[in-house]
Amino acid sequence: MKQLVVRRAVLGMALGLGLGGGSGGMPQALAQTAAPKGPAVDARAVAVGYGELVHASYGDVLASALDMQKAIAVLIATPSQTAMDAARKAWLDAREFYGQTEAYRFYAGPIDNDEGPEGQLNAWPMDESYVDYVEGKPDAGFVNDPKFKITKENLVKQNERGGEENITTGWHAIEFLLWGQDLSDTGPGNRSFEDYMDGKRPHADRRRQYLQVVTELLLDDLNGLVKAWTPGPKSYRNKFDAGGMESVRKIIVGLGSLSRGELAGERMEVPLNSQDQEDEHSCFSDNTHRDMVTNALGIQNVWLGRYKRRDGSLLKVAGVADLVTARNAALATRTSEQIAKTVAATEAIQAPFDREIIGGADAPGRKRIQAAVDSATEQSKLLVQAANAIGITKLTLVQP
């Protein structure tokens, strides 16, 4: 499982290394500066604001996942192409919000501490045959094994059992059950809705059950994250709010680690080097290009203290940029511009991602991805400098 491999392989990075960075001449609309409007903020204000942002965004993920569950229930009850298309769209819509929450990882918070659900939610890459049939293996997977009882407990127990690609749960298991294998060079997988119809495909009843149960499990995990970040005397949120500069350190660990180790490294450099479809993040739906954008947006959200909610409203809180501005306004502005440049670079990546990675170094798609890698790498260096500017002298970032 790529993400857990990265998380376990953290390396120390000392601050104050003199790592440079530039703005790259971003358009005004994207190069949002960090100039605060009003009194300077302190570390507690940033920690409290971050908690508000995290709670709101996990709430939006949960709400969109509930919509997905409703669409999946229709598919299960009355399989049709219309129902399949609606379930797929609901999955894609929910991923737009989940991708932005990955900026909350990498510091042993509720998502990925020893008890955290990250490995059940977003593990990848996935051996599809562990769950259901694939080309040349019509009887593969737990779906086609009547001896296997499909329950939440059993799916959790089998997740990653015997290998990190043996994934039974989470977004990508649901994705595979909705799209099937991606056997096309120009588009996503094209699983037939008839896979869920008795008499059309063997074990359709078990496939329906598996899809229902794995979706329920995903919602359980999301509910747990919302609860952890809900204000309350015993919640993780309460401790984080009171954490001061230590909480800010954790915030920057999340931003820097996602920037370099995960986004630039695992999600873009690895498939660039391998040119293998199996190394792309959302390979069944061909949604990988959007995964890159939402990860980049998540970093920008936290840095600026801004988040566009599911209902279209804008949540504005104290951001890390505000804190850095008080110590080094030029560095804060430079970092804001670099982060905006990364968002723009990821938005330039075209779908399908598995075709962008093919070719020589001068292939247009590979150059677009490399530009995003370079920008995310540069912003991680600036985030290190930003931490140093506010007095954080030691930082541990996930490296690729």
Side-chain angles (χ1 to χ4, degrees):
M1 183 177 65
K2 293 261 181 166
Q3 285 146 307
L4 290 186
V5 169
V6 174
R7 194 177 71 227
R8 292 167 183 157
V10 293
L11 299 174
M13 176 179 282
L15 293 175
L17 299 179
L19 300 173
S23 67
M26 291 302 300
Q28 186 174 1
L30 289 173
Q32 301 177 64
T33 65
K37 296 181 179 179
V41 301
D42 59 13
R44 177 174 173 81
V46 173
V48 170
Y50 175 87
E52 292 179 33
L53 192 152
V54 175
H55 184 252
S57 54
Y58 275 136
D60 283 347
V61 176
L62 178 59
S64 58
L66 284 167
D67 285 348
M68 179 184 71
Q69 184 184 43
K70 293 175 184 176
I72 285 173
V74 173
L75 172 64
I76 290 170
T78 54
S80 69
Q81 190 60 53
T82 298
M84 179 68 89
D85 291 344
R88 289 171 176 171
K89 182 180 185 302
W91 186 93
L92 293 170
D93 290 345
R95 286 291 292 182
E96 286 292 304
F97 296 100
Y98 185 79
Q100 295 176 67
T101 70
E102 295 204 75
Y104 315 145
R105 293 178 50 202
F106 305 109
Y107 56 82
I111 179 66
D112 58 2
N113 60 24
D114 289 340
E115 302 299 322
E118 197 278 331
Q120 290 176 191
L121 276 169
N122 203 38
W124 69 288
M126 175 183 176
D127 178 1
E128 310 97 296
S129 66
Y130 193 59
V131 169
D132 199 1
Y133 77 91
V134 294
E135 188 176 44
K137 296 181 179 180
D139 300 320
F142 291 119
V143 166
N144 296 295
D145 180 5
K147 296 180 181 179
F148 178 76
K149 187 175 181 180
I150 300 171
T151 65
K152 293 179 186 178
E153 294 76 15
N154 283 344
L155 294 189
V156 170
K157 184 178 179 180
Q158 295 299 327
N159 193 48
E160 292 191 292
R161 186 172 183 176
E164 291 178 340
E165 294 186 356
N166 291 340
I167 295 162
T168 55
T169 66
W171 291 107
H172 298 296
I174 297 171
E175 179 193 11
F176 172 56
L177 289 169
L178 293 177
W179 274 273
Q181 280 182 289
D182 181 5
L183 302 175
S184 170
D185 287 340
T186 58
N190 191 29
R191 182 188 288 273
S192 172
F193 68 88
E194 292 185 346
D195 280 6
Y196 293 94
M197 296 179 68
D198 293 328
K200 295 291 186 179
R201 168 67 71 172
H203 304 300
D205 57 333
R206 290 179 55 82
R207 191 168 294 106
R208 293 194 300 267
Q209 184 183 12
Y210 197 114
L211 181 56
Q212 177 181 334
V213 171
V214 75
T215 303
E216 290 173 355
L217 181 58
L218 180 115
L219 285 164
D220 290 346
D221 289 337
L222 292 175
N223 267 303
L225 292 172
V226 172
K227 182 178 180 181
W229 286 98
T230 299
K234 295 183 179 180
S235 71
Y236 180 86
R237 166 80 175 275
N238 190 56
K239 297 176 183 177
F240 195 90
D241 284 354
M245 193 59 78
E246 171 59 17
S247 291
V248 174
R249 186 193 67 82
K250 291 177 179 178
I251 294 169
I252 298 176
V253 166
L255 300 185
S257 296
L258 179 58
S259 294
R260 183 66 189 102
E262 189 71 17
L263 178 57
E266 290 294 318
R267 301 196 179 185
M268 293 193 284
E269 282 183 324
V270 168
L272 267 181
N273 290 334
S274 70
Q275 300 194 34
D276 187 348
Q277 180 191 60
E278 292 298 315
D279 286 326
E280 68 163 320
H281 192 46
S282 296
C283 63
F284 312 119
S285 62
D286 273 348
N287 194 54
T288 303
H289 64 299
R290 289 304 305 172
D291 292 326
M292 305 304 106
V293 174
T294 56
N295 284 180
L297 282 173
I299 295 166
Q300 188 178 57
N301 292 344
V302 176
W303 172 256
L304 295 175
R306 299 177 185 177
Y307 169 62
K308 185 177 180 181
R309 298 216 55 180
R310 188 167 179 256
D311 63 7
S313 63
L314 182 66
L315 175 62
K316 182 67 179 80
V317 299
V320 180
D322 298 318
L323 198 59
V324 177
T325 295
R327 304 289 183 89
N328 188 332
L331 174 61
T333 297
R334 203 159 68 244
T335 306
S336 295
E337 291 175 341
Q338 189 64 45
I339 289 172
K341 183 177 180 180
T342 301
V343 173
T346 57
E347 288 175 336
I349 297 171
Q350 298 180 12
F353 185 89
D354 54 24
R355 304 315 299 169
E356 289 280 271
I357 60 177
I358 301 300
D362 292 333
R366 290 179 62 81
K367 291 173 71 174
R368 285 188 286 267
I369 296 173
Q370 188 62 56
V373 169
D374 293 343
S375 186
T377 300
E378 183 62 26
Q379 84 183 25
S380 72
K381 297 176 182 179
L382 290 170
L383 287 164
V384 169
Q385 291 187 53
N388 191 40
I390 57 177
I392 298 172
T393 57
K394 289 186 179 180
L395 200 67
T396 301
L397 299 184
V398 169
Q399 297 295 298

